[in-house]
Structures are given as C-alpha cells and as structure tokens.
Amino acid sequence: QVQLDESGGGLVQAGGSLRLSCAASGSISGIKSMAWYRQAPGKQRELVAIISKGGRTGYSDSVKGRFTISLDNAKNTVYLQMNSLRPEDTAVYYCHTAVGADGPYYYWGQGTQVTVSS
C-alpha cells in the first residue's frame, strides 16, 4: 500500500556530513509519522529519529545535536541531515512509516548504507 524509496547513503570521513532522503508513494493519506532506524552488523535495529505529520520530533540520545529530521509534506519526503559523523554511526539506515487510519500498519524502506571512516 505504501512504498518508501531511500537515497543519500555513502562513504564519508569522520566529522563529515550526509543527507538521507525517503520518498513515500502509494496510499499515503493515512501516514501519521515517519522515522529513521539504523542497524549495524551484529547489533539490534535502533530508532534514530522520528517526526509526526504535524512536525513534532524525537531523537536518540546518541545523535541529539548532530542529526536533524525534517518532513516536506508537499513532496511526501522525510530527510535526515547527519552532521559531525562518527565511525560508530556506520550502519544501514532504514526509513519507516506508521499508517494509523485503519490499522496501524507499518512499512519499511529497503535501507541505505552509511559508512564513516576514521
């Protein structure tokens, strides 16, 4: 019902920046929130940042002050601006959305690799 298409990952040196994008398509009228999760090899998937359709945001303590999540409602696209990147930020980053009108239902993007070198 909802497709999430991610882009923007890549290789960056410590201290650098990347911007991730996630565009939603399909039955998107019922989307209540969008979020970014990440998963490093051998570790559990963790919530990085979340934003509601009304613009309220939340962040993991490990990225607070360095990452910024934003939402362009006109383009149905969520962004994650990542600054002051550290090697421990290296992971596959996944876009996520919650659809609450008749569920809730949850959808995941395919993931995009972020690698931070030291």
Side-chain angles (χ1 to χ4, degrees):
Q1 188 175 17
V2 176
Q3 182 174 340
L4 302 174
D5 296 319
E6 304 174 356
S7 62
L11 174 64
V12 65
Q13 292 183 335
S17 298
L18 284 173
R19 190 191 194 195
L20 306 183
S21 300
C22 175
S25 61
S27 300
I28 59 176
S29 62
I31 290 178
K32 302 301 180 185
S33 65
M34 299 189 76
W36 290 97
Y37 287 73
R38 67 185 181 187
Q39 187 168 24
K43 296 184 178 180
Q44 295 180 337
R45 188 171 298 187
E46 64 172 342
L47 176 66
V48 176
I50 188 167
I51 186 167
S52 72
K53 209 66 176 179
R56 299 193 305 274
T57 60
Y59 297 91
S60 166
D61 288 340
S62 64
V63 307
K64 195 173 299 181
R66 299 188 297 121
F67 291 9
T68 302
I69 189 170
S70 61
L71 178 64
D72 186 334
N73 283 305
K75 296 182 179 180
N76 300 307
T77 299
V78 66
Y79 304 93
L80 185 67
Q81 179 66 47
M82 304 185 294
N83 299 326
S84 302
L85 283 162
R86 306 165 180 169
E88 52 263 42
D89 295 318
T90 296
V92 177
Y93 284 70
Y94 295 92
C95 184
H96 173 271
T97 187
V99 182
D102 63 342
Y105 297 98
Y106 305 98
Y107 298 90
W108 293 93
Q110 80 283 357
T112 184
Q113 177 70 47
V114 172
T115 303
V116 184
S117 64
S118 59

